[in-house]
Amino acid sequence: MIDVNEGLLATKLEQLDRLLPDSGDPRVLLESFVRTASDEELVRINPVAFAKSHGCDEAALIDIFLHGRKVGLLRMEWHYVCPGCGDIVESFQSLNSATAHFFCQVCSANREADLSDFIEITFSVSKEIRRSRYHDPWSLSPEEFFFAYRFTENGVVHDRSPLREHLRRHAAFCAFFEPGQAITFEAAPDPGYLWFTNGPVLIVRNDRTDETRSFAFDYNGTRSPGYEEEIAAGPVRVEFTNATDRRFALLVVNLPGDYEWTMKPFLSGAQLLSNQTFLDLFESETIVAAEGLAVKRLALLFTDIQGSTALYDRIGDMKAFDLVRLHFGYLRDSISRNSGALVKTIGDAVMASFHDPLDALRAALDMHAQIARFNAEAGNDLIGLKVGVHVGTCLAVTLNGRLDYFGQAVNLAARVQALSEANEIYLTDEMLSVPGAEGLLAAFATEARSVQLKGVQGHVRVHRVYPVDG
């Protein structure tokens, strides 16, 4: 029987409706889901997969999930997923807890956090509204824990089967060990690998033996030393001891070889940090890690107003200031409408970030269209907008109490914008080579040239984009 706290659910839905009065279908879908979903479905929801499976708009769904977190209807988690094995190594509920590095005890390897590829964002229904067994993973059976919770649900192996199912098919043993508990078990591994979630790996050769080999492994904590030995296929006996004062979950898997796996579409940390709703609702969440967090690919857009000093002289400080504020509103709308985030304003300039480079290009074109419409209605070319866009690798950091980005990609985007004149967009080669970019620019003229940019070694190939009649 499904037990829902109806009073609390009604309160949270009312709060959600006040924040998003026109949320429509996603709001109805979310309420129905809370009431009818299985225990397993309630926890660690992938919003991208959820939107696709329910036939709703992804951006609208993520928006309502973020507002649902704000009012306490949902809980949001950041998962650090090991790129080697797919284990969810760390999980936390706030960006403030993010670190630049993590350690995977399954692989016995240190990993660098990468917001683009292996930091996934999931949502769970608040346990105060509807409790699921999966809210308390230690209440699960060992099989449920490993094959429906611990490893990422978004992983798929080379044959496109789910990673969790791949591990289930090849599992040799799994159990929970109480503090100090020792268990002896037997397995007969085939050629490949016999690996343990606490680090040891037995490399199993193609030759076979009927002799039972014995091994003893102690678990002494998350950074227990790894162990590796090459053996023939055939029976083994393992004595495993949990030498810590905490419960431990052991999985032993006999894999036929090193499995290659990828992630299905998911909401990444990089995508979330370029979501305006997240930045607006959770301003207090910042990156504490001094080194920042790596972002493998991010599109960065800079704008500025041509001749702003002359504009202030021509129409006066007060009118010019109001005009600049108005233009900020147009630019913010274009950024938000195209799934980006306003990082900051710098004088009369804007810096924005986009997870999808094509969204950055759409936003740049939309900005020029909005400013052109404003100038036409004013009967005067009051604002001459200059735009530059680049995509590359950078670091997400916190500067002056707010999210910002650092690195050569940021410098390139700013330098490219400085080349632009009014009603122009300047793109780097990296931006124009993004699949689909040239199609978006079909109605515009483009002109390529090689330039020397301050602080950048060598020449950089850039592309001027302007109206055909410009």
Side-chain angles (χ1 to χ4, degrees):
M1 176 178 163
I2 293 176
D3 186 14
V4 177
N5 185 330
E6 294 290 351
L8 186 57
L9 175 60
T11 298
K12 299 304 181 184
L13 289 173
E14 287 173 5
Q15 294 173 349
L16 188 60
D17 289 339
R18 285 197 292 272
L19 289 174
L20 289 174
D22 301 317
S23 54
D25 291 344
R27 153 67 170 80
V28 175
L29 176 61
L30 179 57
E31 179 179 359
S32 174
F33 178 80
V34 171
R35 295 184 184 282
T36 62
S38 68
D39 263 16
E40 183 179 346
E41 291 173 320
L42 287 178
V43 175
R44 293 185 168 178
I45 305 162
N46 172 353
V48 175
F50 186 96
K52 182 178 180 180
S53 65
H54 290 85
C56 60
D57 179 74
E58 179 184 311
L61 192 282
I62 292 173
D63 199 49
I64 201 165
F65 270 35
L66 288 170
H67 282 87
R69 180 208 179 187
K70 183 68 174 180
V71 302
L73 175 61
L74 300 175
R75 182 182 69 186
M76 189 177 84
E77 289 184 320
W78 298 70
H79 298 316
Y80 278 16
V81 180
C82 175
C85 65
D87 187 22
I88 297 176
V89 177
E90 293 185 26
S91 181
F92 43 87
Q93 296 183 42
S94 170
L95 176 60
N96 298 342
S97 300
T99 57
H101 309 278
F102 62 95
F103 179 80
C104 176
Q105 69 175 22
V106 177
C107 299
S108 296
N110 287 299
R111 306 292 191 188
E112 287 192 8
D114 182 343
L115 285 166
S116 299
D117 287 344
F118 292 98
I119 298 181
E120 63 179 17
I121 310 299
T122 68
F123 294 83
S124 301
V125 174
S126 170
K127 61 183 178 182
E128 287 75 23
I129 292 173
R130 183 180 157 196
R131 178 172 285 277
S132 161
R133 291 185 304 116
Y134 287 80
H135 282 124
D136 178 12
W138 289 115
S139 72
L140 304 173
S141 69
E143 290 78 10
E144 289 172 323
F145 177 82
F146 283 112
F147 309 126
Y149 182 80
R150 174 158 164 178
F151 288 84
T152 177
E153 184 181 15
N154 299 316
V156 291
V157 295
H158 57 279
D159 63 359
R160 303 309 296 169
S161 62
L163 170 62
R164 289 176 173 179
E165 286 305 311
H166 184 71
L167 296 176
R168 184 197 298 271
R169 285 198 305 268
H170 296 286
F173 179 79
C174 65
F176 292 151
F177 284 71
E178 300 303 327
Q181 183 179 12
I183 295 179
T184 299
F185 62 91
E186 294 186 354
D190 291 321
Y193 299 88
L194 190 69
W195 59 258
F196 299 64
T197 48
N198 62 313
V201 177
L202 298 178
I203 303 169
V204 186
R205 299 189 304 264
N206 290 325
D207 56 307
R208 290 185 174 272
T209 179
D210 293 329
E211 178 188 354
T212 299
R213 284 71 44 86
S214 295
F215 297 90
F217 298 120
D218 291 348
Y219 174 66
N220 295 298
T222 56
R223 290 186 178 268
S224 294
Y227 174 86
E228 186 175 297
E229 184 173 332
E230 190 174 306
I231 63 170
V236 297
R237 180 181 295 113
V238 177
E239 180 182 348
F240 183 89
T241 302
N242 176 12
T244 72
D245 58 0
R246 292 186 174 187
R247 203 179 206 194
F248 178 70
L250 174 67
L251 171 65
V252 183
V253 183
N254 180 200
L255 293 172
D258 282 332
Y259 63 84
E260 295 182 3
W261 70 281
T262 57
M263 296 278 276
K264 295 185 296 184
F266 66 100
L267 177 60
S268 69
Q271 185 176 352
L272 188 68
L273 293 188
S274 286
N275 183 292
Q276 193 65 55
T277 298
F278 174 76
L279 296 186
D280 290 343
L281 292 180
F282 306 103
E283 291 182 348
S284 63
E285 295 202 17
T286 58
I287 297 171
V288 177
E291 315 98 307
L293 298 176
V295 183
K296 193 171 185 178
R297 190 175 84 152
L298 191 71
L300 297 158
L301 179 152
F302 281 83
T303 75
D304 202 357
I305 295 176
Q306 180 165 300
S308 58
T309 302
L311 176 66
Y312 278 79
D313 288 339
R314 189 168 75 250
I315 66 175
D317 289 349
M318 188 65 71
K319 288 183 179 180
F321 181 68
D322 287 342
L323 193 62
V324 169
R325 288 175 55 193
L326 183 63
H327 120 282
F328 280 149
Y330 286 126
L331 300 191
R332 181 187 170 97
D333 288 346
S334 292
I335 294 164
S336 180
R337 190 161 43 241
N338 290 283
S339 302
L342 176 63
V343 178
K344 61 184 175 183
T345 60
I346 316 149
D348 302 328
V350 158
M351 175 185 176
S353 67
F354 298 81
H355 175 253
D356 184 345
L358 292 183
D359 285 334
L361 187 50
R362 292 186 188 100
L365 296 172
D366 189 40
M367 288 174 178
H368 275 302
Q370 298 301 320
I371 297 302
R373 188 175 298 115
F374 169 78
N375 285 338
E377 291 173 356
N380 195 343
D381 289 338
L382 293 174
I383 296 178
L385 189 67
K386 311 191 303 176
V387 182
V389 193
H390 173 61
V391 60
T393 300
C394 60
L395 289 175
V397 298
T398 294
L399 293 176
N400 301 317
R402 64 174 297 154
L403 178 71
D404 206 338
Y405 296 95
F406 178 81
Q408 189 71 318
V410 181
N411 298 333
L412 267 169
R415 299 284 187 265
V416 167
Q417 178 276 315
L419 298 173
S420 178
E421 300 290 339
N423 305 319
E424 292 180 348
I425 302 169
Y426 263 75
L427 308 175
T428 59
D429 246 5
E430 290 81 357
M431 266 301 304
L432 193 62
S433 64
V434 171
E438 290 190 358
L440 290 177
L441 299 174
F444 294 82
T446 60
E447 177 185 292
R449 61 188 176 110
S450 183
V451 298
Q452 182 76 54
L453 299 177
K454 182 180 178 181
V456 180
Q457 289 187 352
H459 282 77
V460 176
R461 186 173 171 83
V462 297
H463 302 267
R464 175 184 173 230
V465 178
Y466 57 97
V468 173
D469 58 353

